[in-house]
Amino acid sequence: MAGSADILMALRELSNLKQITREELHGLLQDGIHAALAKKHGANVQAEVEIDEARGEIRIVLLKTVVEDVTDESREVTVEEARFMDPEFQVGDVMEIPVDFMEFGRTAVQAAKQRIIQRVREGERTRIRDEFAGRVGDLLSGEVQQIERGKLVVMLNKFREAEAIIPYREQNHREHYHQGEPVRAVLKRVEDTPKGPRLILSRSDALFVQALFKLEVPEIQQGIVEIKAAAREVGSRTKIAVTSRDDAVDPVGACVGLKGARVQAVVNELGGERIDIVPWSPDPERFAKLALAPARVARVFSDAASRTIQAVVDEDQLSLAIGRNGQNVRLASELTGWKIDLYSSREWLEKGGEAPLFAPLPEDAEADVPLNEIEGLETATVAVLAEAGYRTLNDILDLDRDDLLRLPGIAPEEADRIMAIIDELTTEDDGEGGRGA
């Protein structure tokens, strides 16, 4: 059986592996030895344990009180037994009985080992909880260690002892990972389980987009620019609202970066997901107008009691404001926290709105042009789009490349050509509606 020197050497290795101090290690060893003594001599045993790491020695002494009649053998000894060791013992004295570490026996040593392992695990759990409890929203990186029933088990780069997972519902289902691949995700919450703290990571939450912008935009790291709100439909589109504490810093421009470099880095991490960046405003009506970008909004009216916004747009902006399957207005509503009801100018006037609300459209304003009148679109392409229900320019404005590729008969080269035509027809100076990517 291993002696005390061997035990101390093994524990020193444990100290380095588990990153615990020597003082903590000695406390764990003493606690483990007390557990082993209790296993062998009784639950109320009293003992002194001294650890001399320089000499590689562990000194163990049982302490027993000398009494006339023993009621607890684990901590008492009769005066007759004590005087057999030393005739000078009197009732009330404390007898010291040296214990050889080798006398513990296999069962006692196992008890000490289990107590030490338990305390080390408890210490790890406490460190994990303390490390991550205040880091919700932070970007963490690691590698996919295992894939279990749809969830990704992640080994973090800087805290390998922590259990971290990306549940199926927190994944972007347009992405596919394999064991050993690097992955980044945002810490969404810390869960307590019987096995200890578990880190729940996410790549689908809007927090992930915010964490990526914090990584790419120094002004956000410095606290000059702040992301006030975010809304996301994973794999498709995200809207974020930003504000600046410095009037000299444009929050939207800071997030977009020179030639779009910063926002493009985020888009690449998200696999091409579209991002709209709009200025935040404390005025709900102004904020709603900004949130509905890229559509231009003519007028908005708010009802604070029901937290409802009525937004009026010109006829040629209605489909853009609504977005594909209502996505744009839905994200704008989530971004602002207000319910948004959209009306075209004609609907508003029929509803009884004020006639002078709308200025005449400029002559070069975009009309809802039929696809067969758009130069550059092949007849076969127009037929495929019509078959899918897209017959005018406004119908395809909110489509992205992946949407086009899902249509039968649209090749990657044709999808790129359609996107180029849309960009050419819709390029204009950004208004106060912000910038998107």
Side-chain angles (χ1 to χ4, degrees):
M1 184 183 295
S4 59
D6 297 325
I7 296 294
L8 285 173
M9 182 179 296
L11 288 172
R12 278 195 291 270
E13 293 177 0
L14 180 67
S15 172
N16 296 331
L17 180 64
K18 296 297 184 181
Q19 297 179 341
I20 57 178
T21 65
R22 291 293 172 85
E23 291 75 15
E24 289 177 308
L25 180 64
H26 288 180
L28 292 175
L29 181 55
Q30 289 170 338
D31 191 44
I33 291 173
H34 277 291
L37 290 170
K39 188 84 172 178
K40 186 172 183 179
H41 298 280
N44 296 322
V45 67
Q46 291 182 313
E48 288 182 351
V49 179
E50 295 180 1
I51 300 172
D52 188 341
E53 198 166 345
R55 295 183 179 181
E57 295 178 353
I58 300 175
R59 179 175 172 271
I60 306 168
V61 177
L62 287 179
L63 304 176
K64 291 194 175 186
T65 303
V66 178
V67 295
E68 291 283 357
D69 298 308
V70 173
T71 58
D72 185 347
E73 291 185 358
S74 66
R75 59 191 304 171
E76 295 174 345
V77 63
T78 63
V79 66
E80 291 82 5
E81 289 180 84
R83 285 174 179 172
F84 181 77
M85 300 290 296
D86 186 341
E88 300 296 324
F89 273 116
Q90 302 294 327
V91 172
D93 290 346
V94 176
M95 180 178 177
E96 297 183 353
I97 306 174
V99 177
D100 189 340
F101 193 84
M102 301 294 289
E103 295 178 10
F104 270 46
R106 185 178 182 84
T107 303
V109 172
Q110 187 67 19
K113 176 183 175 182
Q114 290 300 325
R115 179 63 63 90
I116 292 171
I117 291 174
Q118 179 184 355
R119 289 288 299 274
V120 168
R121 285 176 179 168
E122 289 173 356
E124 283 182 351
R125 292 173 182 180
T126 300
R127 281 194 297 276
I128 291 170
R129 193 177 291 107
D130 292 345
E131 172 73 19
F132 293 101
R135 294 184 60 186
V136 172
D138 281 5
L139 193 65
L140 304 179
S141 59
E143 69 176 39
V144 178
Q145 187 178 28
Q146 196 172 351
I147 302 174
E148 299 178 352
R149 297 188 296 275
K151 75 179 179 184
L152 303 180
V153 180
V154 179
M155 179 182 287
L156 299 180
N157 292 338
K158 295 185 178 180
F159 219 104
R160 292 178 175 263
E161 298 86 354
E163 180 187 3
I165 65 169
I166 306 179
Y168 182 77
R169 64 181 178 276
E170 299 296 343
Q171 298 172 29
N172 182 344
H173 299 142
R174 296 170 65 178
E175 301 172 338
H176 302 282
Y177 285 92
H178 301 90
Q179 189 173 356
E181 286 187 349
V183 63
R184 291 194 293 187
V186 69
L187 177 60
K188 189 170 183 179
R189 63 182 181 277
V190 180
E191 285 185 352
D192 282 320
T193 73
K195 294 182 179 180
R198 175 187 293 160
L199 310 182
I200 305 301
L201 310 182
S202 178
R203 284 183 64 88
S204 67
D205 197 277
L207 280 173
F208 181 52
V209 182
Q210 296 183 59
L212 290 174
F213 271 105
K214 183 177 181 180
L215 179 68
E216 297 293 338
V217 182
E219 290 85 350
I220 294 179
Q221 300 172 21
Q222 297 163 7
I224 299 172
V225 172
E226 179 184 359
I227 299 177
K228 298 288 287 187
R232 186 183 186 197
E233 291 193 2
V234 61
S236 180
R237 191 171 191 168
T238 294
K239 285 180 180 283
I240 65 169
V242 294
T243 186
S244 174
R245 292 187 172 89
D246 186 341
D247 293 339
V249 177
D250 171 22
V252 175
C255 292
V256 172
L258 183 63
K259 296 183 179 180
R262 293 174 179 176
V263 70
Q264 191 57 50
V266 176
V267 169
N268 292 341
E269 178 70 27
L270 300 178
E273 187 172 309
R274 299 181 65 182
I275 300 176
D276 296 334
I277 307 171
V278 301
W280 176 82
S281 173
D283 178 3
E285 293 187 359
R286 174 173 167 76
F287 191 19
K289 287 183 68 174
L290 298 170
L292 285 166
R296 296 189 303 273
V297 180
R299 291 289 297 274
V300 291
F301 305 92
S302 63
D303 179 5
S306 62
R307 291 185 66 82
T308 299
I309 294 283
Q310 293 179 324
V312 186
V313 298
D314 292 336
E315 297 291 338
D316 66 327
Q317 295 292 303
L318 183 60
S319 62
L320 195 59
I322 295 173
R324 179 166 54 90
N325 299 322
Q327 183 187 73
N328 193 60
V329 67
R330 187 166 57 248
L331 287 175
S333 180
E334 184 179 343
L335 190 71
T336 60
W338 288 58
K339 181 177 181 289
I340 298 178
D341 293 329
L342 278 175
Y343 297 90
S344 69
S345 55
R346 178 178 55 79
E347 290 172 332
W348 184 255
L349 292 174
E350 289 175 355
K351 183 175 177 289
E354 303 173 37
L357 284 179
F358 304 98
L361 293 177
E363 292 182 2
D364 63 345
E366 294 169 7
D368 201 1
V369 182
L371 294 180
N372 58 10
E373 295 181 11
I374 296 177
E375 184 178 352
L377 280 183
E378 299 291 342
T379 303
T381 300
V382 173
V384 171
L385 292 170
E387 182 67 22
Y390 305 116
R391 294 179 172 80
T392 68
L393 175 61
N394 281 344
D395 289 341
I396 65 172
L397 281 179
D398 213 32
L399 297 182
D400 56 28
R401 186 176 184 273
D402 287 342
D403 297 325
L404 294 172
L405 289 175
R406 281 192 283 268
L407 300 179
I410 300 292
E413 297 79 11
E414 185 63 14
D416 292 335
R417 202 155 63 83
I418 295 171
M419 295 304 299
I421 291 172
I422 293 173
D423 288 342
E424 183 179 350
L425 292 175
T426 59
T427 298
E428 61 185 36
D429 292 336
D430 289 325
E432 63 177 2
R435 299 174 218 185

